[in-house]
Amino acid sequence: MIKTIDLIKVFRTEEVETTALNKVNLSIEKGEFVAIMGPSGCGKSTLLNIIGLLDNPTDGRYFFNGEEVSKFKERQRTNLRKGNIGFVFQSFNLIDELTVYENVELPLLYLKVSPSERRRKVSEVLERMKITHRKKHFPQQLSGGQQQRVAISRAVVTKPMLILADEPTGNLDSTNGEEVMNLLTELNNEGTTIVMVTHSPSDADKAHRIIQLFDGHIVTENIRQIL
């Protein structure tokens, strides 16, 4: 599903040039659960942004689902993301002015799904995530764990083939964090590919494979036997 060849990402200003990714070669198969770890500033989030088609590499090649997308324009990347990739962030990234229901419905509006189908899909995912009773509330009226359940609901409502999670438990206590990881594991068991950036060894232990980044390079890969 995901393949990168000699992927490079350089950030430039007038005074400084920073290489965030340096010849990263990576393959992720459909249905895998992959954790990306490493110290702050090693390129984890940059790699996730490129995998998620939020940004293009400076050099190298990136194939998504068999199609080379390295040089895609912003509109092309946006169209490919729709319905194919769901995002879960540490900061939840919910829209404060929208209710829980409206936040989850938003990706379906972008896909021009009919009103009746939107109601069915949103109701289904809110029930699954055990957040239906909060559907008329606004994000600021929810706990951190509830907000992350809403964010996951929004990520999966289109039934994407890939979910990208950037520190999904970073703002949660241990109980809520474990609940979120259980939800991601359940989604993966149903066939969704998951790529997760994390600093947490216990979260990474849920993955099939752990990739360690350092200074923009992949330094180790550990394939785990999931019992």
Side-chain angles (χ1 to χ4, degrees), residues 11-89:
F11 294 102
R12 294 184 177 92
T13 67
E14 290 183 3
E15 298 178 352
V16 67
E17 179 175 291
T18 303
T19 301
L21 297 174
N22 193 355
K23 294 191 175 181
V24 171
N25 293 286
L26 174 67
S27 291
I28 297 173
E29 300 298 327
K30 188 177 187 299
E32 273 200 279
F33 188 161
V34 176
I36 301 173
M37 302 188 75
S40 296
C42 71
K44 301 186 300 297
S45 293
T46 299
L47 179 57
L48 205 69
N49 285 342
I50 291 175
I51 290 173
L53 300 167
L54 296 173
D55 199 3
N56 276 344
T58 304
D59 202 357
R61 305 173 76 190
Y62 171 34
F63 295 84
F64 179 78
N65 219 25
E67 180 179 15
E68 184 168 7
V69 297
S70 318
K71 303 294 191 262
F72 268 25
K73 304 296 185 186
E74 185 173 353
R75 182 181 294 276
Q76 292 174 292
R77 296 200 310 268
T78 299
N79 288 336
L80 188 54
R81 281 198 308 269
K82 288 178 182 177
N84 288 318
I85 304 175
F87 295 89
V88 180
F89 300 96

Side-chain angles (χ1 to χ4, degrees), residues 54-222:
L54 296 173
D55 199 3
N56 276 344
T58 304
D59 202 357
R61 305 173 76 190
Y62 171 34
F63 295 84
F64 179 78
N65 219 25
E67 180 179 15
E68 184 168 7
V69 297
S70 318
K71 303 294 191 262
F72 268 25
K73 304 296 185 186
E74 185 173 353
R75 182 181 294 276
Q76 292 174 292
R77 296 200 310 268
T78 299
N79 288 336
L80 188 54
R81 281 198 308 269
K82 288 178 182 177
N84 288 318
I85 304 175
F87 295 89
V88 180
F89 300 96
Q90 176 179 353
S91 57
F92 317 132
N93 282 18
L94 300 174
I95 299 173
D96 289 340
E97 295 77 19
L98 300 182
T99 64
V100 165
Y101 185 97
E102 290 165 340
N103 267 282
V104 176
E105 182 186 36
L106 200 57
L108 300 174
L109 288 170
Y110 292 146
L111 289 173
K112 296 180 170 57
V113 175
S114 70
S116 60
E117 188 69 359
R118 291 201 306 269
R119 284 193 295 273
R120 185 187 69 79
K121 288 177 178 290
V122 174
S123 297
E124 186 179 274
V125 76
L126 289 179
E127 184 174 345
R128 176 178 183 177
M129 297 296 169
K130 299 180 173 61
I131 200 74
T132 302
H133 62 296
R134 294 288 195 176
K135 67 180 182 180
K136 294 183 179 179
H137 289 70
F138 292 91
Q140 296 305 315
Q141 296 173 300
L142 307 179
S143 68
Q146 289 170 334
Q147 288 188 62
Q148 194 59 293
R149 286 211 300 274
V150 175
I152 293 173
S153 300
R154 182 183 59 189
V156 304
V157 73
T158 62
K159 296 191 175 176
M161 62 177 72
L162 172 66
I163 290 179
L164 302 178
D166 195 352
E167 297 283 0
T169 67
N171 282 336
L172 304 178
D173 60 33
S174 58
T175 300
N176 282 308
E178 185 175 354
E179 185 178 323
V180 164
M181 289 308 304
N182 288 339
L183 286 170
L184 291 176
T185 300
E186 184 180 322
L187 291 165
N188 177 247
N189 288 339
E190 293 170 1
T192 305
T193 307
I194 296 178
V195 181
M196 173 182 68
V197 161
T198 183
H199 281 104
S200 167
S202 61
D203 287 357
D205 279 344
K206 304 282 189 183
H208 305 150
R209 183 157 50 116
I210 300 173
I211 294 169
Q212 293 278 353
L213 277 184
F214 187 77
D215 285 349
H217 298 274
I218 293 177
V219 290
T220 61
E221 286 194 48
N222 177 25

